[in-house]
Amino acid sequence: ARHPESAFPVAAVICALVASYPKMQDIFLGVFYKMCPYVLPRYVPRLVDMSDEQFRNAQGYREGESQERYFERIAGYISLFAAITQTEIPIST
């Protein structure tokens, strides 16, 4: 992750938005799962007839993305998701 220190501040904003607008949770999670397939416990098997490019696409690589950049991007998503799971949702009284 390029800026791991930003995970908790961004998580606080996301949690505050979800607390104010509960329907945003489904939208956020849907986008998050699409951007980072590893947030869900999911194993991507390599099929016999898959090319290297098809397998990388199934894993969530972007076109022309290096393995190093891919790992960096995925680590950022995982860091943010972990921060969200640890952030308390503000409760209004």
Side-chain angles (χ1 to χ4, degrees):
R2 289 186 179 178
H3 303 285
E5 68 279 358
S6 65
F8 279 97
V10 173
V13 171
I14 290 169
C15 288
L17 285 170
V18 168
S20 296
Y21 306 99
K23 290 183 180 183
M24 285 190 68
Q25 181 175 357
D26 290 338
I27 295 168
F28 169 75
L29 288 174
V31 170
F32 210 87
Y33 295 154
K34 183 176 174 82
M35 298 298 290
C36 182
Y38 296 104
V39 172
L40 296 171
R42 175 180 159 226
Y43 172 74
V44 179
R46 182 169 188 153
L47 304 176
V48 176
D49 60 341
M50 277 184 141
S51 68
D52 289 344
E53 185 175 339
Q54 289 171 326
F55 184 56
R56 290 171 56 92
N57 286 340
Q59 291 179 308
Y61 277 81
R62 292 180 177 164
E63 188 174 333
E65 187 172 44
S66 69
Q67 186 177 43
E68 180 180 347
R69 178 65 188 117
Y70 171 76
F71 287 153
E72 185 177 80
R73 181 171 58 84
I74 294 301
Y77 290 132
I78 296 295
S79 296
L80 177 57
F81 192 78
I84 289 168
T85 63
Q86 297 175 62
T87 300
E88 291 186 29
I89 297 174
I91 299 172
S92 58
T93 55

